[in-house]
Amino acid sequence: MNELPPSVTLEELSEENLRPLLDAAVADADPFEVIAAVDGPPGWTPQRRHAFVEFHRGRALHPTRPSERTFVVTVDGEAIGAARLEPRGNDLEAGIWIGRSHRGRGIGSIVTAQLRRLAAETVACRITATTTPGNIAARRLIDTGLRARVHVDGDAVTGISDLT
């Protein structure tokens, strides 16, 4: 029996859905997959939880100068990850993380298509994304989901896709 595709939505990040996003990260992602390095023992320490919240409050939720649009990725109404579009000159840089238990189900492809559609509604000329050579799933999303030209430079794989 074929499983129906999940109902995947992108909800603009807000103070109301920031806590469910943190809960999803703590339950289903390594801190180093979703935030910059914070010293301390492994796992989601109180300092890393605080850093996660403050990171988003300082970027997408900044009251006067948000530096990016961040979206909570939901499946059937449950927060399972995040996606972002960050202006970089005339381009938008895309980023996605999906909780481990939700990977491999096609959610990343759906989110990538939604990000590309949102980016096309802006004045940006291109959408870009960067990953590491070993992240095969992200490379596939960059190649097929963003329909990007891929460039490998040392430890960085960058995809660039025209929006016009």
Side-chain angles (χ1 to χ4, degrees):
M1 176 181 238
N2 287 338
E3 196 176 313
L4 292 174
S7 173
V8 179
T9 60
L10 298 182
E11 297 177 5
E12 195 93 31
L13 184 66
S14 66
E15 282 294 335
E16 290 74 34
N17 60 16
L18 179 56
R19 182 60 190 203
L21 180 61
L22 172 61
D23 292 344
V26 169
D28 212 15
D30 187 281
F32 299 109
E33 295 173 324
V34 301
I35 60 171
V38 174
D39 288 336
W44 281 98
T45 63
Q47 294 82 4
R48 288 194 184 105
R49 291 170 193 241
H50 178 76
F52 181 94
V53 169
E54 291 308 309
F55 172 84
H56 288 294
R57 285 183 176 149
R59 296 183 60 84
L61 297 177
H62 191 281
T64 59
R65 290 176 282 117
S67 61
E68 67 184 27
R69 288 181 72 192
T70 299
F71 306 90
V72 177
V73 177
T74 68
V75 172
D76 299 326
E78 174 191 357
I80 60 103
R84 68 177 174 82
L85 290 171
E86 180 179 353
R88 299 280 175 111
N90 292 329
D91 298 345
L92 285 172
E93 182 180 80
I96 300 171
W97 68 265
I98 304 290
R100 290 178 177 166
S101 67
H102 297 279
R103 295 176 188 169
R105 298 175 39 205
I107 295 167
S109 296
I110 295 168
V111 171
T112 302
Q114 290 177 0
L115 284 177
R116 184 176 171 77
R117 198 168 27 259
L118 287 166
E121 295 170 0
T122 71
V123 297
C125 299
R126 291 174 298 275
I127 187 169
T128 67
T130 303
T131 191
T132 59
N135 191 336
I136 302 304
R139 289 182 71 168
R140 190 175 310 116
L141 290 176
I142 290 170
D143 183 43
T144 59
L146 291 183
R147 300 188 305 268
R149 297 177 308 280
V150 176
H151 306 280
V152 179
D153 184 15
D155 288 340
V157 177
T158 302
I160 302 168
S161 179
D162 293 328
L163 291 170
T164 55

